[in-house]
Amino acid sequence: MRNSGLTVVGREIETAEIIRRVGADRSHSDVLIVTGDPGAGKSTLLDLAADRARGAGGRVLRAVGSESEAHLGFAGLHQMLRPVLGEAEGLPSRQRSALRAVLGLEECAETPDAMLVGLAVLTLLSDMAETAPLLVVVDDAQWIDRGSLDVLSFVARRMDSEPVTLLVGVRTADALPGFDKGYERLELGPLDAEAANRLLDRQPTPPTGRTRVRILEEAAGNPLALVELAHATAIRHPEGSGLEGPLPVTDRLERIFAGHAADLPEPTRRILLLLAAADAADTQAAAVGLPEADDEAWVPADRAGLVRQDGSGISFRHPLVRSAVYHAASFEERRRAHLALAELLREEPDRRAWHLAAATIRPDQDVSAALQQAADRARRRGGFAAAAAAQERAAELSPRREDRARLLTEAAATAVFTGQLGWVEHLAAAVRECTDDQALLGKAALATGQLMSLGPHHTAAFALLMRVADEAADARSPLVLDALAAAAVVRYYSGEESQQRQIQSLLSRMPDDAAGAALHVWVLAVSDPSSAGASLAPVLPGLIAEAKGDASRLTALAIVAWLLDQTTLAGRTFDEAFDQWQAWGQLPDGLGCAAGWTRLEQGRWAEARSVAAEISAVASAAGLDHAEACAQALDATVLALLGESADARRKAEQALTLVDLLESRSVAVFARRAQGLAAVAEGDYDTAYAQFRSAFTDDGDPVHYHVSYTVLAELAAAAVRRGRQEDAAELLERSARRLGTGMSARLTALIDRGRALLAEPEHAEPYFQAALADDAGEQWPFERAQTRLDYGEWLRRRRRIAEARPLLSAALETFQRLGARPWIERAKAELRAAGIEAAGSVVPSAFTELSPQQQQIVQLAARGLTNREIGEKLFLSPRTVGSHLYRVFPKLGITARSQLRDVVEGTLSGASAHI
């Protein structure tokens, strides 16, 4: 090849880095993002990596993105896995079925769960890597379809102990959802002058004089431009005259390639255009499926350096060649190429539909119908971006105006699941231009509002959703409850009181309707849990029983249970929903963190951190700042309780910077509560008091109607240490009056603890006793232990040592189990003061020193689950599970799996049976 020098000249450091990554004896995974402008040499380096891996006895899987297949759901994943689909037959049945369904290899009654698909790919790659290191190469990732990219991102986050290397090539200017944070990047910048000259010297006819100077100037250090400009001038302008005027490097290269193609014989130009019109999966059909595509026809293109032949067939040497050939052709020439491909692909209905669409400029009902069928298939497979794109194009080709409006509305609703607000807004605007049908306009606006609610602009989202709800109510449309349900979520995010009044006003006008009962409950609980708790709590178990088998409804009802402080019921319901593989749905939202808060409150801190990590990663990839902020605040809280104050503050600050605090009061209070707990852990009660006090206005009203009340006891504790009892007592009593007699058992216990701390010492005991009287308090072990510690301290200071010791010991046992180091130290100090020196030897168990994920693995293994079963529950590969267990055995002081039960039971001794 003319540009073989690219592998070395000017890229020596990058080449060495690539070789190092694929040539080492790997005991763990590696992800590297290779970025650069078109022509920088990304593909050359990735080819080198693949050759090196194969030469070393490794296995290689490849996928190359192309613009023409970016709208085909899971096309990239299919391309990557096509050579090894036979090996997928060994996957667990649910994983195998989910993977085959998204690849269109078998029908499925329900949309495959995205996490289960990701787990199937992770398990398959892990199994392949059992015999030899595995390299996965994804080139031109900016054109990989979104469904495939999401799966790859899922796998990348979970590759741990796998001998798998993932190399991803992407253009510098293109965003790559799921890979834009947290991964090492290898940037291929322009070559310096010395390297550029060396590369020119290696060309068959090295340019000289003024020609060389102009090439160096025009190429601007781009390796491909240097090679191609040298080649072009050598053939067409040996004296250096005739070079085009200034153009961007990419445009200049396209013109060069188009010029090369224009000089080819007609049969060669026809088959080149056919290849350019094809997507990656069609390439072989395009290359060998037509009479004119004989071997001789390819020879001139090969000599011109436009194509290359590899193991899978004939392909363009660079994406810019493809683009140049395609766009240089007339529309009629492109149309004939697409029709020829459509004829070849009668057994591939989705690809055939898109080729027919590319050949069509006028409305055509048959082509529109084919695209609608493609959209239905993509949606059933979970390829929402592909489905929305097909619906949008089907609308453009639909002859009837009403059908166009309907299809655009469906596309907007589908595009919500892509997280691309701009696209949804564009589709909704197209609906408005197309129809005055209020039902369709309402559905399109609802789609926009639902996605807006996941972003930072909650005021605008709420206004839009309430307009939809009002118009639906006037039209007596069932859409009203859907809009109110979404508006209630925005109300939770923002904490704005005026929004609650608007929701309540409209909800009160709604007639009782059994079909809408679940949504009605949702709206009440999310928008005003303290008022709704008394009426909803008794009926909630029945609603959950009716929802069995429906993971989406179970998740929603689990969130309701959490909001009502029915924490045990919430935890049990979340567990049931998650076991059905639809834990977080297609997109995370702020209330999705309810699963993590439930586990935190139950004392399942490792699981809470796992929830936070997953939601944060998915939200970050989707650009959903509010959801990411919620997850960061959750993780910050757990870190503060563990005594990792610096990390807790960092996470809380990240949460606060992601949102507008006036638009996202829930995040503001959650994050500042975490900062307050971090300050308590360090004994900085001035900061702690300020952070907890910020959960209320200067007048004593809650900043957030649900979250603010959870800081009352902590506020009281900090106030006592800073001499602010009067202000704290006034605020606490004001909150108690606002909550009224219907407050939950949890809030009752928190307020009683706060009253005990703020009371004169001789009047405190009844409040301590009240805070511990209700057995329901065992649902919240950390808060229960805090109260026991406070009461034990009060008793010790009253010289009632015998009564203090059991309370202090029980508190220490809970803190020990949870790993709450600062509170362990405080409990130990109190016990020493009570004359129990033996407690001084108590230290956090080895179990609590494990990572959150390792704790979960140990607990499941102790229950007798195999590595594969654990992997399915935690979305990890069996190899990763085994690696974690191998590493934790020495930490736990054991040598056999059978000993894990004793470790876990010893760690959890004294824990509540329902935790």
Side-chain angles (χ1 to χ4, degrees):
M1 293 178 61
R2 290 193 320 275
N3 64 339
S4 60
L6 271 173
T7 60
V8 176
V9 178
R11 298 291 186 222
E12 291 84 358
I13 295 175
E14 294 90 341
T15 300
E17 176 64 10
I18 290 286
I19 291 174
R20 182 185 70 79
R21 288 176 180 270
V22 301
D25 179 16
R26 306 211 59 83
S27 59
H28 57 84
S29 64
D30 192 12
V31 179
L32 180 66
I33 315 298
V34 183
T35 66
D37 292 332
K42 302 183 297 297
S43 298
T44 302
L45 283 177
L46 295 179
D47 289 344
L48 176 68
D51 292 342
R52 180 71 179 224
R54 291 191 189 97
R59 304 186 68 178
V60 179
L61 293 178
R62 298 199 66 165
V64 181
S66 67
E67 289 178 280
S68 58
E69 68 176 1
H71 49 249
L72 291 172
F74 300 103
L77 190 63
H78 189 275
Q79 184 189 156
M80 184 182 87
L81 298 181
R82 183 167 47 190
V84 295
L85 285 176
E87 298 181 50
E89 294 303 309
L91 293 172
S93 59
R94 285 188 294 186
Q95 295 181 36
R96 182 178 65 250
S97 295
L99 180 59
R100 289 181 60 82
V102 300
L103 296 180
L105 301 176
E106 66 179 50
E107 292 294 324
C108 55
E110 297 181 354
T111 301
D113 181 81
M115 295 185 73
L116 188 55
V117 175
L119 177 61
V121 176
L122 176 64
T123 304
L124 177 60
L125 299 187
S126 177
D127 288 347
M128 291 179 61
E130 285 285 349
T131 55
L134 176 64
L135 173 66
V136 179
V137 177
V138 181
D139 199 3
D140 284 317
Q142 71 277 357
W143 292 324
I144 293 289
D145 65 278
R146 183 60 184 269
S148 298
L149 203 58
D150 288 344
V151 171
L152 288 169
S153 174
F154 176 98
V155 170
R157 294 196 303 272
R158 285 166 174 77
M159 292 193 312
D160 181 16
S161 305
E162 319 297 334
V164 177
T165 299
L166 173 60
L167 300 180
V168 180
V170 62
R171 291 185 177 180
T172 299
D174 289 282
L176 196 61
F179 292 95
D180 54 349
K181 298 178 184 176
Y183 297 107
E184 189 174 348
R185 304 177 82 84
L186 182 64
E187 175 69 34
L188 304 185
L191 298 183
D192 60 27
E194 186 271 336
N197 275 293
R198 280 196 289 128
L199 182 57
L200 289 179
D201 287 340
R202 295 200 180 188
Q203 301 313 302
T205 307
T208 60
R210 187 166 63 90
T211 299
R212 188 182 188 98
V213 172
R214 289 203 61 189
I215 289 174
L216 289 169
E217 290 175 349
E218 297 292 343
N222 183 286
L224 184 62
L226 287 163
V227 172
E228 296 302 331
L229 286 169
H231 177 62
T233 55
I235 293 177
R236 296 188 172 192
H237 310 289
E239 301 303 321
S241 61
L243 282 174
E244 296 179 24
L247 281 174
V249 169
T250 298
D251 293 343
R252 177 175 299 283
L253 286 170
E254 284 199 359
R255 290 199 180 189
I256 290 172
F257 292 136
H260 293 341
D263 294 335
L264 298 174
E266 176 62 22
T268 302
R269 284 192 287 114
R270 283 201 306 271
I271 60 172
L272 275 180
L273 179 57
L274 193 68
L275 191 66
D279 61 45
D282 304 336
T283 298
Q284 189 135 358
V288 302
L290 294 181
E292 64 264 34
D294 56 51
D295 290 343
E296 290 301 316
W298 291 109
V299 173
D302 183 44
R303 288 175 179 165
L306 300 177
V307 298
R308 62 184 175 190
Q309 186 163 8
D310 53 33
S312 60
I314 295 174
S315 61
F316 286 110
R317 188 163 53 81
H318 194 277
L320 291 177
V321 180
R322 178 198 209 112
S323 179
V325 169
Y326 187 80
H327 292 291
S330 68
F331 173 76
E332 181 56 31
E333 290 172 325
R334 295 199 299 267
R335 190 181 74 84
R336 287 197 299 267
H338 283 295
L339 288 175
L341 287 166
E343 183 64 26
L344 276 176
L345 294 168
R346 287 191 171 277
E347 301 302 316
E348 296 280 347
D350 293 347
R351 290 187 165 89
R352 179 175 183 272
W354 277 106
H355 282 300
L356 289 173
T360 306
I361 56 172
R362 296 181 181 87
D364 187 310
Q365 184 58 44
D366 291 339
V367 178
S368 178
L371 285 168
Q372 291 175 56
Q373 293 168 3
D376 290 341
R377 286 187 290 270
R379 190 169 50 242
R380 287 197 299 272
R381 298 198 301 267
F384 294 102
Q391 288 167 328
E392 183 178 15
R393 183 65 174 136
E396 294 169 355
L397 295 178
S398 180
R400 300 174 66 235
R401 185 182 181 89
E402 55 268 34
D403 287 339
R404 288 201 298 274
R406 173 183 56 80
L407 287 166
L408 287 168
T409 302
E410 292 176 3
T414 303
V416 167
F417 296 106
T418 70
Q420 299 178 47
L421 178 59
W423 190 12
V424 175
E425 290 176 327
H426 165 76
L427 291 167
V431 174
R432 292 194 296 273
E433 293 175 2
C434 196
T435 185
D436 56 4
D437 184 319
Q438 291 302 309
L440 293 179
L441 290 170
K443 289 179 180 177
L446 175 60
T448 305
Q450 287 173 324
L451 194 49
M452 282 181 67
S453 70
L454 303 183
H457 304 301
H458 294 138
T459 300
F462 185 84
L464 176 58
L465 289 166
M466 288 306 297
R467 178 173 63 77
V468 173
D470 283 329
E471 292 173 354
D474 292 341
R476 297 186 176 181
S477 165
L479 200 66
V480 61
L481 276 176
D482 291 304
L484 281 176
V489 173
V490 179
R491 143 75 171 160
Y492 187 88
Y493 296 162
S494 71
E496 174 58 51
E497 285 303 310
S498 64
Q499 294 178 355
Q500 164 58 14
R501 292 191 290 273
Q502 294 180 60
I503 291 172
Q504 188 56 46
S505 173
L506 187 53
L507 192 64
S508 64
R509 293 158 44 193
M510 296 294 100
D512 290 335
D513 180 7
L519 281 177
H520 200 277
V521 165
W522 172 266
V523 174
L524 286 172
V526 173
S527 61
D528 193 5
S530 59
S531 298
S535 60
L536 294 183
V539 303
L540 193 55
L543 292 172
I544 291 171
E546 293 172 8
K548 285 194 179 299
D550 186 334
S552 178
R553 285 181 64 198
L554 284 171
T555 300
L557 291 169
I559 292 172
V560 170
W562 169 70
L563 289 165
L564 301 183
D565 285 331
Q566 301 284 317
T567 305
T568 299
L569 180 62
R572 194 162 54 235
T573 308
F574 274 126
D575 288 343
E576 184 177 350
F578 289 7
D579 281 345
Q580 296 176 30
W581 308 103
Q582 294 183 355
W584 291 286
Q586 298 300 326
L587 284 179
D589 58 52
L591 291 185
C593 276
W597 290 115
T598 298
R599 280 142 173 69
L600 183 149
E601 291 162 14
Q602 289 182 296
R604 297 160 64 176
W605 292 356
E607 294 175 66
R609 293 202 68 194
S610 293
V611 171
E614 182 60 37
I615 291 181
S616 180
V618 176
S620 176
L624 303 177
D625 288 349
H626 180 86
E628 184 180 357
C630 291
Q632 297 282 30
L634 169 60
D635 201 35
T637 305
V638 182
L639 288 167
L641 295 174
L642 291 169
E644 299 176 25
S645 298
D647 289 339
R649 282 193 295 272
R650 178 176 53 82
K651 292 268 187 178
E653 286 296 334
Q654 288 175 356
L656 292 170
T657 58
L658 282 167
V659 296
D660 180 337
L661 301 182
L662 293 179
E663 297 251 7
S664 299
R665 293 179 179 87
S666 59
V667 169
V669 179
F670 272 133
R672 286 173 176 153
R673 186 180 73 171
Q675 290 177 321
L677 288 168
V680 169
E682 293 180 326
D684 179 3
Y685 293 102
D686 283 326
T687 299
Y689 181 82
Q691 295 291 353
F692 295 140
R693 184 62 181 80
S694 71
F696 296 87
T697 66
D698 292 341
D699 294 333
D701 294 328
V703 170
H704 190 271
Y705 61 94
H706 177 244
V707 189
S708 289
Y709 295 123
T710 64
V711 310
L712 285 170
E714 297 291 354
L715 175 65
V720 169
R721 288 168 171 81
R722 305 318 306 161
R724 305 296 297 271
Q725 291 94 321
E726 184 176 346
D727 178 56
E730 182 180 344
L731 193 152
L732 186 145
E733 296 305 328
R734 182 185 179 96
S735 297
R737 289 192 297 273
R738 179 185 285 266
L739 289 166
T741 57
M743 73 177 77
S744 69
R746 181 190 182 198
L747 290 180
T748 299
L750 291 175
I751 287 175
D752 281 333
R753 179 189 169 214
R755 284 170 170 161
L757 292 167
L758 294 168
E760 293 297 326
E762 61 271 19
H763 300 141
E765 186 163 26
Y767 296 120
F768 278 128
Q769 292 172 337
L772 294 170
D774 192 342
D775 288 341
E778 297 295 340
Q779 294 178 81
W780 309 287
F782 180 75
E783 293 169 7
R784 191 77 156 181
Q786 285 180 299
T787 304
R788 286 179 172 135
L789 177 58
D790 291 336
Y791 189 16
E793 182 181 13
W794 182 88
L795 288 168
R796 182 190 61 76
R797 292 180 177 178
R798 308 291 287 182
R799 300 188 182 282
R800 293 161 61 179
I801 303 299
E803 296 170 79
R805 286 172 176 168
L807 288 167
L808 295 172
S809 295
L812 177 60
E813 185 178 27
T814 299
F815 296 144
Q816 166 74 26
R817 173 170 56 83
L818 298 175
R821 293 179 183 83
W823 286 267
I824 290 171
E825 294 306 316
R826 185 180 155 202
K828 286 164 56 179
E830 285 297 323
L831 277 165
R832 283 195 298 271
I836 305 180
E837 291 297 334
S841 63
V842 177
V843 295
S845 69
F847 179 81
T848 62
E849 298 292 323
L850 302 180
S851 72
Q853 192 173 78
Q854 288 172 337
Q855 290 185 32
Q856 289 180 277
I857 290 171
V858 167
Q859 288 173 326
L860 292 171
R863 287 164 45 188
L865 275 68
T866 66
N867 288 0
R868 191 168 287 268
E869 291 168 336
I870 295 170
E872 286 201 327
K873 282 194 170 292
L874 301 183
F875 301 100
L876 299 170
S877 73
R879 179 198 289 268
T880 295
V881 173
S883 177
H884 277 301
L885 288 172
Y886 177 81
R887 291 199 298 267
V888 304
F889 273 27
K891 295 179 182 178
L892 298 175
I894 62 175
T895 57
R897 199 180 185 105
S898 58
Q899 296 172 281
L900 288 172
R901 181 181 295 274
D902 293 336
V903 170
V904 172
E905 289 181 350
T907 300
L908 301 182
S909 62
S912 173
H914 51 249
I915 292 174

